[in-house]
Amino acid sequence: MTQAHVTDPLGGTVSRTVLPGGLRVITESIPTMRSAAVGVWVQAGSRDEQPRLSGASHFLEHLLFKGTSRRSALDISAQIEAVGGETNAYTAKEYTCYYARVLDEDLPLALDVLSDVITGSLLRDEDVETERGVILEEIAMQHDDPGDEVHDVFASALFGDHPLARDISGTAETVASLGRGDIHRFYREHYTAPHMVVAAAGNLDHATIVAQVEAGFAPALTDRTLSPAPLRHPTEPLPSVDPTTVVVQRDTEQAHLLLGGRGLERRDERRFAFEVLGAVLGGGMSSRLFQRIREEAGLAYSVYSYSAEFAETGLFAVYAGCAPENSHRVLDLSRQVLAEVAEDGIRDDELVRGKGMIKGGLVLGLEDTGSRMSRLGRGELLFGDQLSVDEVLRRIDDVELSDVAELAKEVLDQPFTLAVSGPFDSSDF
């Protein structure tokens, strides 16, 4: 068992323990808070699925809440809600997270419920069939929301045949064909101690949490010789994909536009400059895109940019929702803004404002134990370490105009992929 403790000047005391068997426990003790959050982070997401198993991670996330030998599905939710807490889960492309937020005195209950869900779920045939219907309805609902659907269409076009291109929920066809055996094998392969992190933040004692984790996750710690899994490596080579335009025809009152390309992989040291660039381009009401497209031209209600980072690549995109007749003008202005920044970089005042937005968002997030817990879990699972808040703020402060300019030229001066959803034909673009 290995342990480490670090006191963060802008946070609490961060402690990390690796249990025999490879399960990692990381906590942040903040005695001044009366709430606590705990999450179980599993290195298993949609990119880990074979094509015919697309949606298995998300299906499993649903099933684990359907009951254990100790608790029914109702017990799982009712026990947390009875103390005023909340519990939920979500699936991403590279991980799945199960979490709960409660009063500090109820943290042992939350941890017991989550450990029971992760290690003791029954995965019954009848639950598979019940939840299959729920997930098919969820997929249909996503397709009925073109503002959501366009993001999946964009990722599919950008990453081609790579697993990152697949929808997290899977498709109606793959979900309909998944059997209990498929899902159980996926669970047995990926939900192992070396691939899991338990993160908690709030008014807590690290040693007590470690003891509770070791007891609750005992079924996953049968092989005590294992070590934590290494950081995720690419599952397969990233294909070269020509920029393309994909139009999804929908009889809607609004057009949904997504324009962008590939960005940075998550361990790229330039990611802090990339965050500043994103804030300046489309991170708020003072951003260039918002000002140019909404405030000056009045062409869209919603316009923003965003990025996502993965093990070997990332993406950068501009989203706008507008009246269909304004779509070409919005695209022209978006390309114009991106080209200007790629050519000339950003101004001094924009650099200052972009840094302030990133730093303020980070520090304000420290008011919430759920955000602190997520920062711990993601840092351990995706990066293998914990940068202190002071260190992150320092790295943001160290970003210079030249850093942003070089990055803008690299990321923004590329042929872009375009995804469109609305009342259009392919020939319209």
Side-chain angles (χ1 to χ4, degrees):
M1 182 183 295
T2 59
Q3 293 187 324
H5 306 273
V6 177
T7 299
D8 191 331
L10 292 181
T13 300
V14 176
S15 304
R16 178 182 184 271
T17 295
V18 180
L19 294 173
L23 178 64
R24 287 158 284 177
V25 183
I26 184 163
T27 69
E28 184 173 10
S29 176
I30 314 150
T32 57
M33 289 189 169
R34 285 303 315 275
S35 69
V38 58
V40 182
W41 299 74
V42 187
Q43 188 176 292
S46 58
R47 69 171 297 164
D48 299 300
E49 304 156 355
Q50 296 298 316
R52 74 173 189 86
L53 300 179
S54 181
S57 306
H58 179 245
F59 208 141
L60 181 59
E61 173 221 312
H62 279 240
L63 285 174
L64 292 191
F65 285 97
K66 298 299 287 184
T68 73
S69 59
R70 295 170 53 202
R71 293 178 173 91
S72 67
L74 176 59
D75 292 336
I76 291 169
S77 58
Q79 289 182 9
I80 297 295
E81 290 176 358
V83 297
E86 59 175 337
T87 184
N88 211 331
Y90 65 93
T91 307
K93 289 186 181 291
E94 297 191 308
Y95 60 87
T96 306
C97 176
Y98 303 81
Y99 64 90
R101 284 194 68 209
V102 291
L103 297 179
D104 53 1
E105 63 195 45
D106 298 312
L107 184 56
L109 170 66
L111 191 49
D112 184 55
V113 170
L114 287 182
S115 62
D116 189 25
V117 163
I118 298 296
T119 66
S121 198
L122 298 175
L123 301 177
R124 293 170 295 212
D125 288 326
E126 57 266 35
D127 293 330
V128 171
E129 295 311 313
T130 300
E131 213 58 29
R132 189 193 313 278
V134 172
I135 294 169
L136 289 173
E137 288 297 323
E138 184 178 349
I139 291 173
M141 183 175 65
Q142 290 169 349
H143 286 312
D144 283 344
D145 187 341
D148 283 345
E149 182 185 33
V150 72
H151 293 276
D152 292 331
V153 171
F154 175 77
S156 178
L158 188 66
F159 295 128
D161 294 330
H162 194 273
L164 288 171
R166 299 182 197 135
D167 291 354
I168 292 170
S169 298
T171 67
E173 292 74 23
T174 58
V175 169
S177 66
L178 283 170
R180 193 264 182 190
D182 297 320
I183 299 168
H184 187 255
R185 281 189 292 272
F186 188 87
Y187 169 75
R188 292 293 299 271
E189 179 181 354
H190 294 282
Y191 278 58
T192 62
H195 293 90
M196 291 193 287
V197 172
V198 177
N203 185 19
L204 55 82
D205 174 70
H206 180 73
T208 302
I209 297 297
V210 170
Q212 291 172 341
V213 169
E214 191 161 21
F217 284 84
L221 297 172
T222 53
D223 188 344
R224 310 284 286 184
T225 66
L226 298 175
S227 300
L231 290 180
R232 181 187 291 279
H233 295 292
T235 55
E236 59 185 69
L238 198 68
S240 176
V241 178
D242 292 331
T244 186
T245 296
V246 181
V247 177
V248 180
Q249 189 173 18
R250 292 283 185 267
D251 186 17
T252 57
E253 296 294 323
Q254 190 177 50
H256 301 272
L257 315 171
L258 210 59
L259 178 72
R262 293 186 180 173
L264 304 183
E265 60 97 354
R266 67 168 161 265
R267 286 185 292 274
D268 193 313
E269 287 299 316
R270 300 173 297 169
R271 63 186 184 274
F272 301 99
F274 198 39
E275 287 189 49
V276 174
L277 174 61
V280 171
L281 277 173
M285 296 176 65
S286 62
S287 67
R288 285 206 190 187
L289 286 164
F290 193 94
Q291 286 294 311
R292 189 76 58 86
I293 293 172
R294 174 170 163 164
E295 295 300 289
E296 296 175 12
L299 294 174
Y301 176 77
S302 177
V303 55
Y304 59 85
S305 66
Y306 71 95
S307 62
E309 293 76 40
F310 307 108
E312 64 279 83
T313 188
L315 64 81
F316 174 84
V318 173
Y319 167 84
C322 62
E325 61 269 20
N326 292 334
S327 57
H328 288 284
R329 180 62 178 149
V330 169
L331 285 173
D332 288 343
L333 287 175
S334 298
R335 290 190 174 100
Q336 186 180 103
V337 169
L338 297 178
E340 289 171 359
V341 176
E343 179 67 25
D344 302 322
I346 63 174
R347 304 186 305 269
D348 283 316
D349 63 303
E350 291 177 318
L351 178 68
V352 172
R353 188 166 64 247
K355 289 181 179 182
M357 290 176 66
I358 303 302
K359 291 162 58 179
L362 171 64
V363 175
L364 290 175
L366 297 177
E367 302 289 330
D368 176 16
T369 54
S371 296
R372 288 176 181 252
M373 180 275 292
S374 294
R375 184 170 174 271
L376 295 176
R378 284 173 52 85
E380 179 64 37
L381 195 69
L382 302 181
F383 293 91
D385 60 14
Q386 293 293 326
L387 291 180
S388 70
V389 178
D390 269 348
E391 175 65 13
V392 174
L393 295 176
R394 184 190 66 77
R395 294 199 186 189
I396 294 169
D397 277 331
D398 286 346
V399 173
E400 299 181 353
L401 281 174
S402 59
D403 301 324
V404 178
E406 291 172 9
L407 198 52
K409 191 173 293 293
E410 176 183 330
V411 176
L412 304 182
D413 189 17
Q414 63 172 300
F416 287 132
T417 286
L418 172 65
V420 178
S421 181
F424 306 111
D425 294 322
S426 297
S427 59
D428 292 329
F429 292 89

